[in-house]
Amino acid sequence: MAVIPYKDQNDNKKSQVATMFNNIAGKYDFLNHFLSAGIDIIWRKKAVSLLAPEKPKLVLDIATGTADFAIETLRLQPDKIVGVDISEGMLAVGREKLARKGLSHKIELLYGDSENLPFEDNTFDAITVAFGVRNFENLKKGLSEMNRVLKPGGTAVVLEFSMPRSFPMKQLYQFYFKNILPVVGRFVSKDQAAYTYLPESVQAFPDGEAFLNIFQEVGFKSTKWHSLTFGISSIYTGKK
């Protein structure tokens, strides 16, 4: 059964995830950096550095949110980055951020469903997703769409939370995720469900080798898994 943010509602996961991110959009960046003690910024830098040898010119950032990953990817000096997201609230915050930084000409943010991407086959040199694939309603369909719009020889980079497996990080992580993160998240964002959904969705997500198997199943080759910060997060890469 799919993990959903609002268990008392009948909407599908996609609708609920969009609603959740609309609700927390204004506080999202602050909470992201605060709750991860800024480590998420280091993770993004690492993920982008794995794309550096490819020198991609046209990049798609899926589940772009407020465009943090897209902005980080500008270090690779692509011609253009297109970001898509199902949350208009997050996109609005992202567009404000881009305008403030004078980056609107380099990064275009569009409303778009990751499982039905509005692009032709073989369009992008590289695709990035940060903390987004576990929110897909249908993981396999979303990854298949990524493969479809990626050019042959192009690279996909997925940054996602994972579950630490070793003592004592596993125990510390579970305590933090279950007892501290939901309370702080609820207090700051005023959304009762968003930061309960986060640990539940991470626990239910097929991380590590299980994710690589699905990645390969939809057509990605030369897949790799990089574990970060004692297994709290992972980067997955694959080529078309």
Side-chain angles (χ1 to χ4, degrees), residues 105-120:
H105 65 296
K106 277 287 195 183
I107 300 172
E108 181 184 12
L109 300 186
L110 304 171
Y111 175 83
D113 178 358
S114 56
E115 291 162 47
N116 295 284
L117 292 169
F119 307 109
E120 297 290 324

Side-chain angles (χ1 to χ4, degrees), residues 47-61 69-70 72-82 106 123-128 149-157 238-239:
V48 168
S49 71
L50 293 175
L51 265 183
E54 312 293 324
K55 298 185 172 61
K57 291 300 172 195
L58 183 58
V59 180
L60 174 64
D61 186 39
F69 203 8
E72 187 61 41
T73 306
L74 285 176
R75 282 199 295 120
L76 305 181
Q77 299 183 308
D79 293 336
K80 187 175 183 184
I81 299 172
V82 179
K106 277 287 195 183
T123 298
F124 296 93
D125 300 306
I127 295 178
T128 57
V149 302
L150 190 63
K151 285 180 184 173
T155 302
V157 176
K239 295 186 88 67

Side-chain angles (χ1 to χ4, degrees), residues 18-238:
T19 299
M20 178 188 76
F21 280 114
N22 285 338
N23 289 346
I24 66 174
K27 304 289 187 186
Y28 180 79
D29 281 349
F30 166 75
L31 278 167
N32 225 13
H33 304 326
F34 176 75
L35 290 169
S36 72
I39 299 170
D40 65 303
I41 298 167
I42 296 165
W43 292 339
R44 284 190 186 86
K45 288 184 187 299
K46 170 71 174 168
V48 168
S49 71
L50 293 175
L51 265 183
E54 312 293 324
K55 298 185 172 61
K57 291 300 172 195
L58 183 58
V59 180
L60 174 64
D61 186 39
I62 293 174
T64 194
T66 61
D68 272 356
F69 203 8
I71 291 167
E72 187 61 41
T73 306
L74 285 176
R75 282 199 295 120
L76 305 181
Q77 299 183 308
D79 293 336
K80 187 175 183 184
I81 299 172
V82 179
V84 295
D85 204 284
I86 57 169
S87 166
E88 290 285 12
M90 296 284 275
L91 289 169
V93 174
R95 288 186 187 112
E96 279 176 30
K97 190 189 296 183
L98 294 177
R100 208 166 53 239
K101 292 174 178 283
L103 298 174
S104 302
H105 65 296
K106 277 287 195 183
I107 300 172
E108 181 184 12
L109 300 186
L110 304 171
Y111 175 83
D113 178 358
S114 56
E115 291 162 47
N116 295 284
L117 292 169
F119 307 109
E120 297 290 324
D121 296 3
N122 310 318
T123 298
F124 296 93
D125 300 306
I127 295 178
T128 57
V129 196
F131 312 116
V133 293
R134 77 176 189 289
N135 297 322
F136 289 179
E137 188 163 56
N138 184 325
L139 177 60
K140 208 175 278 190
K141 191 169 182 217
L143 295 177
S144 295
E145 275 290 273
M146 285 167 55
N147 189 274
R148 179 183 69 78
V149 302
L150 190 63
K151 285 180 184 173
T155 302
V157 176
V158 176
L159 172 60
E160 190 52 88
F161 289 115
S162 47
M163 293 299 295
R165 290 165 167 78
S166 305
F167 178 85
M169 186 51 72
K170 179 181 175 181
Q171 286 72 17
L172 287 169
Y173 186 69
Q174 286 180 339
F175 177 81
Y176 175 73
F177 246 30
K178 286 178 181 170
N179 299 287
I180 297 171
L181 184 141
V183 175
V184 176
R186 194 179 304 131
F187 177 75
V188 176
S189 73
K190 309 302 182 205
D191 187 292
Q192 293 293 314
Y195 288 87
T196 304
Y197 164 76
L198 175 59
E200 287 175 355
S201 65
V202 172
Q203 262 184 318
F205 184 72
D207 63 349
E209 292 292 344
F211 181 81
L212 285 189
N213 289 338
I214 300 168
F215 216 28
Q216 290 157 10
E217 212 176 300
V218 302
F220 285 99
K221 304 180 182 92
S222 305
T223 57
K224 289 179 185 165
W225 165 31
H226 307 261
S227 183
L228 305 172
T229 319
F230 309 106
I232 291 174
S233 185
S234 294
I235 302 172
Y236 307 95
T237 59

